[in-house]
Amino acid sequence: MKKRVAVVFGGRSVEHEVSVITGLQVIENMDRDKYHIIPIYINKKGKWFTGESLMEFKNFKENKLDDIQEVILTPITNDHNLYNHPENIGLFKKKIIDKIDVVFPTIHGTNGEDGTIQGLFELMNIPYVGSGVLASSVGMDKIIMKDVFKANNLPIVDYRWFYRKEWIENQERIINIIEESLDYPVFVKPANLGSSIGISKAKDKDGFIKAMEIATRYDRKIIVEKSVENPREINCAVMGYDDNVIASLCEEPLGWEEILTFEDKYINSNVKGTGKEGSRRIIPADIDDNIREKIEDIAKKSFISIDGRGNARIDFLLAKDGKIYVNEINTLPGSIAFYLWEGKGYSFKELIDNMIDIAIKVHEDKNDNMYHYDADLFNKIHLGGSKAKKM
């Protein structure tokens, strides 16, 4: 019997369009013999929709989404039904549109990649692909992520972080901290955003002020990192659950100088890569075996340190002196990284199968936990009067 898989994409995020592309890539490559696909699109206002026209990219380009209907999921435990929105059929009435077995979230950035939507799926007690609430939120917040990596003795660049409010109230103090502890050049980044949006390199005080003004438009938390000058970027994906984790091939993106921009990632890149110098990526990366082995090992440890599951891509900076730094981890759907798995013998279809299988195993494991404890607490505590009595 086919599993009924809901692919959720879109969302209230500056990465909305990227999410739509990712969701449709997943839909296009799912095995129709194994899965009944239920597309769920969240528009920029946060409304949820389903409909057959959501399965075709050209319908988004031509704005031909005529058959879609607004729907809702409920946070009720074990209610895995997709309902018609009550306002469409009368107040307090719900009509079941479909039943869901597994959710495949592909929402990039805010409210999707950060653990928010994963919390809904946890409340529903439904299997879902990718990392859980904690790992997703840690992987999304560059500050907390680096704190966790640092605590696990993983190599990272030096950094400082600030709230937007601090910057508004005392710019000179923050400038002094950066100049005394990091010095220029530095990278300034919104803490909770992907796709290189809002990131700038500052080479002096004026550049730093401008970079902070850009970053604070996108987030209330800002991270400032010491620049590694003229590094090579090497990326490696990992897949698994608990400590049973495998690594993909490594890649080296080409054609970027100081920042791998939004356009480099999604418009200019040759996604599959050929290993040829003419492509935008070299896969596998042209690095020594000892460097590759270290990167694979650190990638696995990074994933395990945040309690990741499913699939993720870890981005590294390889300095000219041979030092390796973890730059960031991209949990699903920040990167499905299918092109890094092809050389390891996984087609996109097989990668999707693996991620769904992991989601089901994680769900079964979670449901082995006890969720009640008989303490007879109500009969041991007496409440009433002006004061509550102690046990």
Side-chain angles (χ1 to χ4, degrees):
M1 186 174 177
K2 292 183 181 181
K3 288 185 176 66
R4 308 176 75 81
V5 181
V7 181
V8 185
F9 54 94
R12 293 182 64 234
S13 167
V14 294
E15 299 175 80
H16 178 95
E17 285 80 7
V18 176
S19 172
V20 171
I21 292 169
T22 299
L24 294 178
Q25 282 181 330
V26 169
I27 289 172
E28 182 181 336
N29 287 279
M30 292 184 77
D31 190 336
R32 299 298 204 276
D33 293 330
K34 292 183 179 180
Y35 309 112
H36 167 69
I37 303 168
I38 305 163
I40 299 179
Y41 168 63
I42 304 176
N43 72 9
K44 293 182 178 181
K45 295 181 178 180
K47 293 186 176 183
W48 297 43
F49 299 89
T50 194
E52 285 296 315
S53 63
L54 295 170
M55 308 269 269
E56 296 289 339
F57 183 54
K58 67 177 183 179
N59 293 331
F60 285 88
K61 296 179 72 172
E62 298 171 5
N63 196 27
K64 293 182 178 179
L65 303 174
D66 301 326
D67 72 327
I68 63 174
Q69 54 185 320
E70 192 173 354
V71 292
I72 59 170
L73 291 174
T74 76
I76 299 172
T77 302
N78 296 326
D79 184 352
H80 300 167
N81 295 313
L82 182 66
Y83 293 101
N84 196 319
H85 197 285
E87 290 182 3
N88 297 337
I89 55 176
L91 195 61
F92 304 122
K93 293 181 181 179
K94 292 187 294 187
K95 176 184 175 184
I96 295 175
I97 301 299
D98 226 325
K99 182 175 174 61
I100 300 169
D101 295 318
V102 182
V103 181
F104 200 124
T106 64
I107 299 177
H108 290 252
T110 308
N111 296 325
E113 197 177 336
D114 58 5
T116 305
I117 201 166
Q118 288 81 1
L120 170 61
F121 304 144
E122 289 285 348
L123 291 172
M124 293 174 64
N125 193 33
I126 190 170
Y128 61 94
V129 174
S131 290
V133 174
L134 177 64
S136 297
S137 57
V138 169
M140 187 69 182
D141 190 310
K142 295 178 177 65
I143 298 165
I144 305 300
M145 175 190 69
K146 288 186 183 293
D147 286 347
V148 171
F149 288 166
K150 187 175 182 179
N152 283 273
N153 298 313
L154 297 170
I156 56 174
V157 299
D158 199 8
Y159 63 97
R160 300 292 183 272
W161 68 274
F162 310 94
Y163 288 113
R164 176 167 53 202
K165 185 172 180 289
E166 293 180 80
W167 174 250
I168 292 171
E169 294 177 351
N170 201 336
Q171 293 188 11
E172 284 303 320
R173 173 180 169 275
I174 290 176
I175 291 169
N176 290 336
I177 290 173
I178 295 304
E179 291 180 343
E180 291 174 6
S181 62
L182 298 182
D183 202 4
Y184 304 111
V186 294
F187 282 98
V188 181
K189 306 176 180 180
N192 289 278
L193 206 59
S195 298
S196 300
I197 295 172
I199 297 177
S200 306
K201 184 176 182 179
K203 300 178 181 180
D204 51 33
K205 181 177 177 179
D206 289 342
F208 179 69
I209 293 171
K210 187 178 295 184
M212 287 292 290
E213 294 298 334
I214 293 171
T216 53
R217 295 175 191 169
Y218 293 99
D219 201 350
R220 56 184 279 273
K221 292 168 65 180
I222 310 300
I223 185 169
V224 183
E225 301 173 353
K226 179 65 180 174
S227 172
V228 178
E229 290 299 277
N230 302 311
R232 296 170 67 184
E233 179 174 338
I234 307 295
N235 303 329
C236 179
V238 294
M239 178 166 53
Y241 172 47
D242 283 351
D243 59 355
N244 184 19
V245 179
I246 60 174
S248 73
L249 295 178
C250 293
E251 69 159 337
E252 180 175 8
L254 298 177
W256 65 287
E257 294 182 3
E258 295 180 329
I259 299 174
L260 195 62
T261 66
F262 182 95
E263 287 75 15
D264 291 330
K265 289 183 177 182
Y266 302 113
I267 300 173
N268 300 330
S269 65
N270 175 351
V271 174
K272 290 193 175 181
T274 63
K276 298 177 182 178
E277 290 294 334
S279 72
R280 302 294 293 181
R281 309 174 187 270
I282 295 179
I283 305 174
D286 185 15
I287 51 178
D288 293 339
D289 284 345
N290 66 318
I291 296 293
R292 175 185 56 76
E293 289 170 2
K294 287 179 183 177
I295 286 175
E296 289 177 358
D297 182 59
I298 296 171
K300 294 176 188 177
K301 289 178 178 176
S302 301
F303 186 69
I304 292 168
S305 73
I306 68 165
D307 194 22
R309 62 197 192 209
N311 190 51
R313 191 192 74 233
I314 295 87
D315 300 344
F316 294 86
L317 298 175
L318 178 59
K320 285 190 171 183
D321 61 4
K323 289 183 179 179
I324 299 168
Y325 300 95
V326 186
N327 191 30
E328 64 179 1
I329 186 168
N330 297 273
T331 58
L332 188 82
S335 181
I336 296 174
F338 65 89
Y339 51 91
L340 293 179
W341 292 104
E342 290 175 331
K344 286 279 188 172
Y346 293 90
S347 68
F348 202 161
K349 279 186 174 63
E350 291 168 330
L351 183 61
I352 290 170
D353 288 346
N354 265 28
M355 288 192 283
I356 290 174
D357 288 344
I358 291 170
I360 293 170
K361 289 175 184 176
V362 168
H363 182 70
E364 291 171 349
D365 194 5
K366 187 190 77 168
N367 282 337
D368 283 340
N369 296 340
M370 289 185 66
Y371 289 93
H372 62 86
Y373 178 67
D374 295 325
D376 196 26
L377 199 59
F378 291 165
N379 289 323
K380 295 178 180 178
I381 294 182
H382 301 281
L383 299 177
S386 60
K387 295 183 179 179
K389 297 179 180 179
K390 295 183 178 180
M391 291 177 61

